[in-house]
Amino acid sequence: MMKSFRLSLVFLVSVVVLFELIAVSHGGELRKNFYKKTCPLAEEIVKDITWKRVATNSSLPAKFLRMHFHDCFIRGCDGSVLLDSTANNTAEKEALPNQSLGGFDVIDEIKRKLEATCPGVVSCADILALAARDSVSFQFNKSMWEVLTGRRDGRISRRQEAVDNIPSATFNFTTLKQSWANKSLTAHDLVVLSGGHTIGVGHCKFFSNRLYNFTGKGDADPSLNAEYAAFLRTQCRGLSDNTTVLPQDPGSVLNFDSHYYTILKLNQGMFQSDAALMTDTQSRRLVDELVDQGTFFTKFAQSMKRMGAIEVLTGTAGEIRKKCNVVN
């Protein structure tokens, strides 16, 4: 009887150990209120500073949303986009798609406050995920989606990996779908999260080929609304315009809403990757659904939760950085 009990106990312990190993190898589990015991005010601190900064800088929601997206697409949501280059390494920040990112100073401010409150507890990866949510939520005075926490910070940040993994503004639907599938995200997530383009600006250099040289013959992209293209040409001075920025969703640049899908249906998506969403039958069907703001908000919340869990480091993987721009 005792022998049988001991064997059962050994088996049970073995199963638990195996489960823990599997959990670590798959990044463990994110969860609600991860810092409830170790840093109870963590999420409140992130929200308070984020809301205070957004109140005086309405461009921050778009910046944080984009930064979080760019972080998650390289090595998962591990805060690697926040790291500075070193003498021996060029970091993700230096990649062309990341050179226009902003808001790093606010992330640093939040981190300093958290380190003063509960040192070495809250990761930069979690700060970024929370700040993205809280910055967008400021407009509504309520939380717009759930952010599970427990991410840890990565130690590696390479410029080339950002170049290789961040979906390009010139991608067609097939290439976009594949780049998102590489991160275990679906075409549904692609269409829904593209709605984030309802806020923020686009740089002429990323879409001027659609205006001036789409096929290499000095022509415009025929899928772009002609009237809108004419307006864009009055703003973007040519293929060499590297400084001009324009609202991605004219008339709704500071409002997080479903208006992006309305302009898509009018063929006024700024980037080729926006227009690509109208080239697939199922995608077009989803665009029609997402014009409804309630539907968009619900689906955006679900897809953000999935994106925020890409290849996360948890448990003992990675580290908790003392400063977000340098490894410990």
Side-chain angles (χ1 to χ4, degrees):
M1 180 96 175
M2 185 59 73
K3 184 178 179 182
S4 173
F5 173 77
R6 280 199 300 268
L7 284 172
S8 298
L9 186 61
V10 168
F11 175 75
L12 181 62
V13 170
S14 299
V15 168
V16 170
V17 170
L18 179 61
F19 176 79
E20 288 176 349
L21 286 171
I22 290 171
V24 170
S25 70
H26 285 78
E29 291 293 328
L30 300 178
R31 63 178 185 266
K32 288 175 68 172
N33 303 315
F34 180 82
Y35 300 107
K36 187 174 183 179
K37 293 181 180 178
T38 55
C39 192
L41 295 176
E43 295 195 21
E44 202 62 36
I45 288 170
V46 176
K47 188 184 88 166
D48 287 349
I49 295 176
T50 302
W51 280 23
K52 183 173 73 171
R53 294 304 172 200
V54 172
T56 58
N57 184 353
S58 56
S59 70
L60 283 175
K63 290 178 187 294
F64 285 141
L65 204 53
R66 186 163 175 253
M67 191 191 296
H68 182 37
F69 170 70
H70 284 205
D71 182 40
C72 292
F73 264 65
I74 299 95
R75 293 183 170 268
C77 311
D78 67 345
S80 56
V81 73
L82 303 170
L83 289 170
D84 289 339
S85 295
T86 64
N88 302 315
N89 178 67
T90 307
E92 293 170 29
K93 277 183 183 177
E94 307 302 324
L96 182 61
N98 286 339
Q99 287 173 10
S100 55
L101 292 179
F104 294 105
D105 57 326
V106 182
I107 299 295
D108 291 341
E109 180 185 355
I110 295 169
K111 181 60 172 171
R112 283 194 299 273
K113 178 67 174 175
L114 286 169
E115 284 299 303
T117 307
C118 32
V121 173
V122 183
S123 70
C124 299
D126 274 345
I127 291 171
L128 178 51
L130 290 165
R133 188 269 311 276
D134 293 339
S135 60
V136 171
S137 299
F138 174 77
Q139 172 189 335
F140 304 93
N141 199 34
K142 67 176 185 178
S143 181
M144 291 302 285
W145 63 86
E146 182 179 64
V147 174
L148 302 182
T149 44
R151 297 167 190 78
R152 287 170 65 85
D153 298 321
R155 298 186 178 97
I156 297 169
S157 181
R158 296 180 180 135
R159 185 192 69 85
Q160 192 56 48
E161 290 185 358
V163 172
D164 293 342
N165 286 280
I166 294 173
S168 168
T170 63
F171 278 1
N172 62 28
F173 189 78
T174 302
T175 314
L176 280 170
K177 197 167 137 182
Q178 184 57 56
S179 70
W180 285 63
N182 291 343
K183 304 301 172 184
S184 300
L185 295 174
T186 64
H188 176 96
D189 295 318
L190 158 65
V191 179
V192 170
L193 293 181
S194 292
H197 285 180
T198 189
I199 51 176
V201 296
H203 293 249
C204 284
K205 62 185 175 184
F206 292 124
F207 62 86
S208 57
N209 69 305
R210 298 188 76 199
L211 308 175
Y212 294 108
N213 198 31
F214 189 61
T215 64
K217 299 175 183 177
D219 55 342
D221 182 351
S223 73
L224 184 60
N225 179 289
E227 191 177 327
Y228 184 48
F231 164 73
L232 291 175
R233 278 192 290 272
T234 68
Q235 305 298 306
C236 298
R237 296 183 294 275
L239 289 168
S240 59
D241 187 341
N242 291 321
T243 56
T244 305
V245 295
L246 295 169
Q248 293 182 85
D249 183 358
S252 182
V253 64
L254 297 179
N255 292 318
F256 187 79
D257 54 28
S258 61
H259 190 253
Y260 168 78
Y261 299 102
T262 299
I263 65 170
L264 275 193
K265 289 165 67 70
L266 296 172
N267 296 318
Q268 293 178 5
M270 178 174 279
F271 302 117
Q272 203 170 328
S273 55
D274 293 319
L277 304 186
M278 299 303 289
T279 64
D280 176 82
T281 305
Q282 285 184 312
S283 175
R284 277 199 307 274
R285 229 177 262 134
L286 183 53
V287 166
D288 287 338
E289 289 179 38
L290 294 170
V291 169
D292 177 78
Q293 190 148 286
T295 302
F296 169 57
F297 286 167
T298 298
K299 293 185 182 301
F300 192 86
Q302 294 164 349
S303 289
M304 281 300 293
K305 195 170 177 180
R306 283 193 287 273
M307 189 190 81
I310 296 175
E311 298 168 22
V312 291
L313 302 173
T314 59
T316 57
E319 64 182 14
I320 304 296
R321 285 183 221 139
K322 294 181 175 66
K323 292 184 177 181
C324 289
N325 62 326
V326 291
V327 297
N328 293 342

